[in-house]
Amino acid sequence: MTAAILYSLSGALIFFIGLYGTVVYPHFLKKAIAMNLMGTGLFLILTALSTRSPDLIPDPVPHGMVLTGIVVSVSATAFVLVLGVHLFNKTGNPDFPLIRYTEKGEE
Amino acid sequence: MSPSFIDYILAPSLVCLSFMILLAKDLFVSIVLFIVFGLLVALAWVELKAPDIALVEAAVGAGVLGALLLGVLGRLEHNKKAAVRTTDQVSVIAITLLILGTAILGRVLYALPQEAYGIGPGIRSLMDRAGGANPVTAVILNFRGYDTLLEIGVLFLVSVGAKALVSTEKQPQERVMPKADRIILFFLNLLIPVMILVAFYLLWVGADAPGGAFQAGAILAASGILLYLSDTGFSLNFDSRWTLLGVSVGLLAFIALSWVMVLAGGKFLEYPASYVKPFIFLIELSATVSIGFILLTLFAASAKEKV
């Protein structure tokens, strides 16, 4: 098992865990965190695959892509948070969609 | 490259942490675990021989994003727990997707060749014309400068959108008096100048060693966030001309410098052969200032009651 396989499999798992979190939790803060998990999983896959070169110097192009990706995903998350806070101020409800599902009698 | 002892502990820990982040019932616990996750991912980047990414992840992914999330949490009511999930049918479908997806993607990743050069040797053969010794900076600002141009455009758009949303909120009338602790003020007096110095050092050294515009911009934004959080009365005036200039100078300078050679008969995004390093430094300098301002406006728009 090379380091590339180890980290890219972990990245794949983290991506799908993040996808599960985005789908399943209605609170917008949790969705934002789960979206970031998806992004981080993808970046792990990209960077892990770039370490496969035989002369042990990693490929710098995926590093540039991941750098750009981190900054863009943080700004997109910040925008989602601004929108979510705005929605919460207007409706008092932090859930996307605005219907709240009950969990076995809670709330 | 065979994994060391740390890799066998780090990678599973990341997966477990991501589970714990989602399963936490209290949002505050979720966010703190997310910050921890960000720092461990920064360690993973170092293990994957990507120190530039490690710097950005620690500064932006863990630092600025953590401050943003905690700030937003402060504006929500604490009695709203986030453990509520959708219906059981949707959960089952989501878990099936998770297992299937991981299996398929894992199978694909396993089938990839163990050794692959990528574009690495190609980039290395062009480094003498790149304007610096750091290949990641050369890729971001020279060979794939178009991506960075668009990225700074996206950042600018997000900042404009955040400002537009904030302007529609009613502003509270009373002015909060600054009540900063003397100990905090003492540390700020020491820390803020050092942070600004470190930021511009990272910018300068990024041409030849790990560093660059994004790391520097993130540290500038972090120093602004620190000032916000210490009750010093510091606040970014969204309507001021200086804020507008700071937010837009990165995009404007990049667009201007990318068209300069066209006037001399060259192509779009071509740098003059003997002035590559000054060009790249000018672009990075304006990008640093802009990224600092933009991240700070995003923090102000989402995390503070009063702007």
Side-chain angles (χ1 to χ4, degrees), chain B residues 6 22 27 46 75 80 90 107 118 120 124 147 156 178 184 189 208 216 218 221 236 244 260 265 288 295:
Chain B
I6 275 195
L22 291 181
L27 269 176
V46 173
R75 292 181 76 173
K80 306 257 184 190
V90 176
R107 178 81 188 81
R124 275 198 293 281
D147 299 337
F156 175 73
I184 294 185
N189 274 319
D208 300 315
L236 200 64
L244 181 62
V260 159
T288 302
L295 289 177

Side-chain angles (χ1 to χ4, degrees), chain A residues 27-30 32-33 36 74 77-78 81-82 85 88, chain B residues 21 26-36 39 60-78 225-226 228-229 298-305:
Chain A
H27 197 289
F28 76 89
L29 212 46
K30 209 120 191 198
I33 295 178
N36 269 287
V74 164
T77 306
L81 291 177
V82 172
V85 168
F88 178 76
Chain B
I21 289 173
D26 190 357
L27 269 176
F28 179 70
V29 173
S30 264
I31 298 177
V32 170
L33 284 177
F34 181 71
I35 299 178
V36 172
L39 292 177
V60 173
V64 172
L65 191 53
L68 266 171
L69 289 168
L70 284 173
V72 168
L73 183 64
R75 292 181 76 173
L76 306 175
E77 292 158 25
H78 269 280
I225 292 179
L226 200 54
Y228 252 111
L229 291 174
L298 289 175
F299 177 77
S302 60
K304 300 307 287 179
E305 273 303 331

Side-chain angles (χ1 to χ4, degrees), chain A residues 4-45:
Chain A
I5 296 274
L6 180 65
Y7 279 106
S8 52
L9 283 178
S10 315
L13 258 175
I14 294 176
F15 173 76
F16 282 106
I17 291 174
L19 182 59
Y20 171 81
T22 321
V23 166
V24 153
Y25 293 97
H27 197 289
F28 76 89
L29 212 46
K30 209 120 191 198
K31 279 199 201 291
I33 295 178
M35 264 170 39
N36 269 287
L37 282 181
M38 284 169 72
T40 306
L42 279 176
F43 301 148
L44 272 171
I45 297 179

